[in-house]
Amino acid sequence: MSYDYRLVVACPDQVGIVAKVSAFIAAHSGSIIEASQHSDLTSESFFMRYEVRFEQPQSQAQLSEAFRPIAESFEMEWRWQDTLQKRRVAILVSRQSHCLVDLLYRWATNELNCEIACVIANHEDLRSLVEWHGLEYHYIPVTAAERDSAFTRIEQIIEARAVDTIVLARYMQILPSWFCERYQGRTINIHHSFLPSFAGARPYHQAFERGVKLIGATCHYVTDELDAGPIIEQDIQRVTHCHTPDDLVRLGSDVEKSVLARGVRWHLQDRILIQGNKTVVFA
Ligand SMILES: Nc1nc2c(c(=O)[nH]1)N[C@@H](CN(C=O)c1ccc(C(=O)N[C@@H](CCC(=O)O)C(=O)O)cc1)CN2
């Protein structure tokens, strides 16, 4: 039972949605304390995110059952989410530590309102850092020949720890298609380029060879197609002819950290709605 819920809605656009939803909330003694909505005129789709405080504690099941007739009448994809229920996050890493360290700091200082269920890595390099934070560290090496068995082990850990969100913090292994499908819309990656430029491995070296004047980072949901999933957040950093590849790596790491942190925070707050291979972000 909770007083505070988020309502997230996506449906075909039509007259009367806001009126019906707000009347439902008022009839259940709720106050809308944050309201976001978007009508996509091209696809004729409607997106909504309300934060609601009820005068009496509600159960998610009862609230959902009462709302279901309205949802069905508008062909909604929808969810009432208990605002106080923390998401359970697994972070996947390889050898690069900067994004992991940044996420752990933001978690430890309560900026990221979640539980970190565990860290899963394909190298042992970051074990001491993770265990210093009192967190579980699972070393699961991945080879091309045994990729499926390695990710089956990862899946077992994720299910055993009731993980609902997976964050790839510079995890340098390609996830098998069955894994992407199973955790679609719940697996977030930080790619160290301004996609769609320089997808794949070693983007900073690709950027150096191309002589770009801007580098960047992209936070996106993971799909089977490499670095092509729905983009959540991006940012850039100006560079010049004076910068070496190592300079680009250094300058880019600051952008990666901030872009990933915003993407993860918005996901944890149910601020992201996926529309095909794009997102609507109520930041
Ligand atoms: N199915 C997906 N898997 C991953 C995605 C994705 O979008 N879909 N994003 C990548 C992240 N990534 C760049 O951001 C990336 C990681 C790894 C590789 C790669 O070629 N890896 C090699 C092994 C490299 C090594 O062992 O050091 C491989 O997996 O064979 C390219 C891009 C995360 N995974």
Side-chain angles (χ1 to χ4, degrees):
M1 302 281 270
S2 175
Y3 291 91
D4 296 315
Y5 282 87
R6 296 184 196 114
L7 172 62
V8 181
V9 169
C11 62
D13 202 355
Q14 56 183 290
V15 172
I17 301 170
V18 172
K20 283 278 191 177
V21 172
S22 48
F24 171 87
I25 291 169
H28 286 77
S29 305
S31 298
I32 299 170
I33 54 180
E34 181 180 323
S36 305
Q37 64 187 70
H38 169 64
S39 288
D40 182 321
L41 302 180
T42 305
S43 63
E44 297 182 334
S45 303
F46 179 78
F47 304 88
M48 166 190 277
R49 177 186 183 277
Y50 279 1
E51 292 199 0
V52 181
R53 173 156 293 172
F54 293 97
E55 289 178 358
Q56 302 302 323
Q58 308 282 320
S59 96
Q60 187 168 12
Q62 290 170 337
L63 195 55
S64 298
E65 273 318 298
F67 187 74
R68 192 175 303 281
I70 293 176
E72 289 174 350
S73 70
F74 288 112
E75 299 174 75
M76 289 178 177
E77 293 176 48
W78 59 283
R79 183 174 78 249
W80 282 97
Q81 176 65 41
D82 177 350
T83 301
L84 299 183
Q85 186 177 27
K86 288 190 176 185
R87 287 278 168 70
R88 290 181 56 79
V89 176
I91 303 175
L92 273 56
V93 294
S94 291
R95 288 197 151 115
Q96 296 277 348
S97 64
H98 58 287
C99 287
L100 173 65
V101 168
D102 185 73
L103 289 176
L104 291 180
Y105 176 78
R106 293 176 194 264
W107 166 73
T109 55
N110 297 314
E111 177 188 330
L112 288 182
N113 183 26
C114 65
E115 293 175 3
I116 295 183
C118 61
V119 173
I120 301 171
N122 63 317
H123 294 283
E124 284 280 16
D125 304 46
L126 301 177
R127 179 183 291 276
S128 58
L129 167 74
V130 169
E131 292 183 344
W132 182 83
H133 282 81
L135 297 170
E136 282 182 18
Y137 189 91
H138 298 272
Y139 169 51
I140 310 284
V142 180
T143 62
E146 298 179 345
R147 190 179 304 275
D148 273 348
S149 59
F151 278 90
T152 297
R153 289 177 63 193
I154 293 172
E155 178 192 32
Q156 289 166 345
I157 294 168
I158 285 168
E159 294 306 311
R161 299 291 182 286
V163 168
D164 53 55
T165 301
I166 301 163
V167 177
L168 309 185
R170 291 300 303 277
Y171 184 70
M172 300 313 290
Q173 290 297 327
I174 295 175
L175 277 54
S177 54
W178 63 267
F179 191 95
C180 297
E181 182 67 29
R182 170 145 194 185
Y183 298 106
Q184 184 178 359
R186 299 192 283 147
T187 306
I188 296 170
N189 180 54
I190 182 69
H191 181 72
H192 38 312
S193 82
F194 190 73
L195 290 174
S197 298
F198 311 132
R202 294 168 62 83
Y204 290 128
H205 293 77
Q206 295 180 57
F208 176 78
E209 290 304 322
R210 184 66 186 80
V212 299
K213 304 306 180 184
L214 293 171
I215 59 171
T218 302
C219 180
H220 64 92
Y221 286 113
V222 170
T223 58
D224 184 34
E225 186 181 353
L226 193 60
D227 300 327
I231 291 174
I232 300 169
E233 173 63 329
Q234 296 184 292
D235 206 346
I236 57 168
Q237 166 64 51
R238 185 165 292 282
V239 296
T240 74
H241 57 280
C242 303
H243 290 128
T244 67
D246 284 351
D247 289 329
L248 300 191
V249 170
R250 171 179 51 80
L251 290 165
S253 68
D254 284 342
V255 185
E256 294 168 46
K257 289 181 285 191
S258 60
V259 166
L260 179 58
R262 287 198 296 272
V264 170
R265 183 167 65 248
W266 291 340
H267 178 86
L268 296 176
Q269 293 174 344
D270 298 295
R271 293 184 178 276
I272 307 165
L273 291 84
I274 297 175
Q275 181 192 21
N277 203 38
K278 298 195 283 187
T279 62
V280 172
V281 179
F282 292 127

